[in-house]
Amino acid sequence: MKPTRKGQAGLVDLLDRVLDKGLILNADLIISLAGVPLIAVSLHAAIASVETMSRYGLMQELIEPSNAGE
Amino acid sequence: MTWSTRWFIRVQIRFQKHKIKTMNKKSLYLYCITEASKKKGKPRVRREQTFRIHGLDRGKVFAFLNHSLAAVVQECDASFLSEDPRWVKNSVLTHQAVVDHAWKKFGNVVPFSFSTLVLPKEAQSATKNLEQNCETASNVGRPKRSVAGSHCLKNLREWMNKEEDSLKKLLEKLKGKAEYGIQISWNPNLIASQITRNDREFKELEKEIQEKGTGTQYLLQHKKKNLLRQKLEAVAEDIFREFYDKISHGVKEIRVETIRKEKPPRQMLMNLSCLLPKDDVPKLDKVLEEIAKGKGFFVRFTGPWPPYSFAKL
């Protein structure tokens, strides 16, 4: 059984991680915006749409070689 | 309302949005922290650089350095947050794409939670030149451009300096490892039929129900339901322990997450986040394959993910 990031299971797992986890800071001028996780509930359902799935599959297209500097 | 009025309003709204967007570029959106190094030959950030990936609202993503750490950030509006689900879902995927990009490039990151912003201390003009504030200003070859308000960079550097040791320890712990999600579900109906067939206590109760009158039968049926639920819970607990032991044996760190709702009759038994070296994945594969062979059990194995669940200072 190989781990996968594809499909709805991968997407739900991704959302759980990006929205609910990760480094959260507690400094005066560094904030983690409250309220966003509340949207996550409906987002879990909404994000599984075909449109989003295809977009997810095409994430690499965000990488544009024209932005030199690396 | 005439078409010209509608058009005028639309143009006004667009203009206002554009105005807000261009006037409020004072905050920094944080994606992840990674290692910085002046030495060549290591996949680390060596200078302030722009990444070949767009951030939120197609903004430029760049690295901001202190002594030994680099923060992958982008300039953004302080009021960029929208509760529009379409905006949020696109932004979540963009956040992940940027973190993934940095992870792939540098091999080790501490990812920030979605929507973590550094805010300016006080209102001031939208952008300030990095040269005034950044230690790496004199670096040869650094791309010349202005970035977020100086207070944001100053705040970020202060925080990075303060947390440098803890972040370095965390990066050391996460080095060479990735996060994997494991969800194991079962069909309790299949286990329930085994219980009703084989459990002695259950059989005795069924016999009693047949012997009693209608009124008592009703109460005993209720008792039977409760007994089955208790038995199933006990079985689920035993299975959880057994699987947890098997899985935890091959991983460095494990976190038990809240179980999710599944489409009936399926029920989730366990939801785990596991941290392990990528080389150790085949061992875990075997364990999960073995579990998935069990009748009525379903296994989901996702990853590799940047270590979101283990990004705790």
Side-chain angles (χ1 to χ4, degrees):
Chain A
M1 178 172 281
K2 303 276 177 250
T4 179
R5 293 172 65 150
K6 290 178 183 166
Q8 191 160 347
L11 211 51
V12 173
D13 252 24
L14 165 70
L15 284 175
D16 270 2
R17 284 172 170 76
V18 178
L19 291 171
D20 303 337
K21 296 165 182 179
L23 200 54
I24 294 169
L25 308 173
N26 199 13
D28 284 351
L29 293 149
I30 300 176
I31 61 156
S32 195
L33 290 168
V36 169
L38 294 175
I39 307 169
V41 180
S42 58
L43 188 65
H44 278 182
I47 205 156
S49 68
V50 177
E51 177 215 351
T52 314
M53 290 293 281
S54 58
R55 191 186 184 281
Y56 181 63
L58 296 170
M59 288 310 280
Q60 285 304 310
E61 287 194 355
L62 283 167
I63 300 167
E64 287 190 0
S66 57
N67 267 352
E70 270 179 290
Chain B
M1 195 187 293
T2 62
W3 70 269
S4 56
T5 319
R6 279 204 297 269
W7 178 82
F8 178 74
I9 292 171
R10 212 179 295 155
V11 168
Q12 281 299 308
I13 290 169
R14 268 193 205 164
F15 174 72
Q16 287 302 328
K17 275 185 183 170
H18 177 74
K19 209 171 144 190
I20 289 166
K21 213 168 186 176
T22 48
M23 281 182 72
N24 289 343
K25 287 200 169 182
K26 292 172 197 153
S27 306
L28 279 178
Y29 183 92
L30 310 183
Y31 290 100
C32 58
I33 297 282
T34 185
E35 290 163 299
S37 170
K38 283 174 185 170
K39 289 173 197 167
K40 285 187 177 178
K42 285 189 175 180
R44 292 175 175 185
V45 181
R46 282 190 293 276
R47 58 182 172 83
E48 195 260 323
Q49 65 181 86
T50 310
F51 289 84
R52 287 179 184 169
I53 188 163
H54 287 303
L56 298 175
D57 294 335
R58 298 187 73 78
K60 275 190 179 174
V61 179
F62 61 97
F64 177 70
L65 281 71
N66 84 337
H67 319 106
S68 59
L69 300 169
V72 178
V73 299
Q74 88 163 78
E75 183 187 31
C76 70
D77 298 353
S79 56
F80 87 113
L81 182 75
S82 163
E83 291 203 355
D84 172 16
R86 207 173 59 174
W87 181 90
V88 176
K89 78 183 175 188
N90 286 340
S91 302
V92 166
L93 294 176
T94 306
H95 177 101
Q96 174 57 16
V98 174
V99 172
D100 258 348
H101 184 68
W103 195 37
K104 202 173 166 188
K105 196 169 169 60
F106 305 115
N108 198 10
V109 294
V110 180
F112 281 102
S113 189
F114 176 70
S115 77
T116 305
L117 285 172
V118 180
L119 299 176
K121 211 167 196 169
E122 58 195 55
Q124 59 177 326
S125 64
T127 54
K128 288 256 180 181
N129 201 312
L130 187 66
E131 276 137 18
Q132 290 174 356
N133 310 290
C134 187
E135 280 175 5
T136 54
S138 57
N139 284 355
V140 179
R142 190 181 64 75
K144 282 187 179 176
R145 52 181 173 67
S146 59
V147 295
S150 58
H151 275 108
C152 294
L153 294 172
K154 198 175 155 222
N155 295 338
L156 180 59
R157 177 171 296 115
E158 273 172 16
W159 176 79
M160 284 165 80
N161 289 343
K162 196 179 138 210
E163 300 290 350
E164 192 166 6
D165 288 344
S166 332
L167 283 166
K168 276 165 75 177
K169 269 184 202 164
L170 186 57
L171 279 163
E172 192 58 42
K173 186 182 103 174
L174 301 174
K175 194 176 272 180
K177 300 181 190 80
E179 180 176 333
Y180 294 86
I182 297 171
Q183 289 104 39
I184 301 176
S185 308
W186 71 341
N187 180 351
N189 294 347
L190 290 177
I191 311 292
S193 61
Q194 282 175 23
I195 292 172
T196 50
R197 272 201 310 270
N198 307 324
D199 188 77
R200 196 173 53 85
E201 199 180 347
F202 204 85
K203 276 183 173 174
E204 279 171 11
L205 188 61
E206 276 189 328
K207 200 178 163 190
E208 201 182 338
I209 290 170
Q210 283 167 4
E211 288 165 359
K212 300 285 177 184
T214 325
T216 320
Q217 263 184 357
Y218 175 79
L219 291 170
L220 288 175
Q221 286 288 2
H222 197 67
K223 193 180 171 186
K224 190 175 129 184
K225 259 189 193 171
N226 278 341
L227 183 67
L228 183 60
R229 192 175 46 82
Q230 282 169 17
K231 295 272 177 193
L232 277 172
E233 277 173 6
V235 173
E237 209 166 298
D238 288 346
I239 292 171
F240 181 94
R241 266 196 222 116
E242 186 195 330
F243 290 171
Y244 184 91
D245 286 346
K246 280 183 183 172
I247 293 166
S248 62
H249 193 67
V251 305
K252 293 285 175 216
E253 211 172 315
I254 193 164
R255 284 184 197 280
V256 180
E257 313 289 359
T258 317
I259 51 167
R260 297 187 202 130
K261 263 198 167 178
E262 296 249 61
K263 203 176 172 186
R266 217 183 261 197
Q267 283 177 2
M268 194 175 281
L269 279 173
M270 60 205 302
N271 183 9
L272 306 173
S273 295
C274 304
L275 184 74
L276 63 148
K278 286 182 184 175
D279 296 342
D280 290 355
V281 172
K283 284 184 210 162
L284 193 56
D285 283 346
K286 279 186 187 167
V287 173
L288 297 177
E289 245 167 48
E290 208 55 45
I291 292 171
K293 277 180 192 166
K295 199 180 169 190
F297 290 102
F298 309 92
V299 181
R300 279 194 213 108
F301 188 23
T302 68
W305 304 112
Y308 282 99
S309 306
F310 303 92
K312 286 190 173 74
L313 288 178

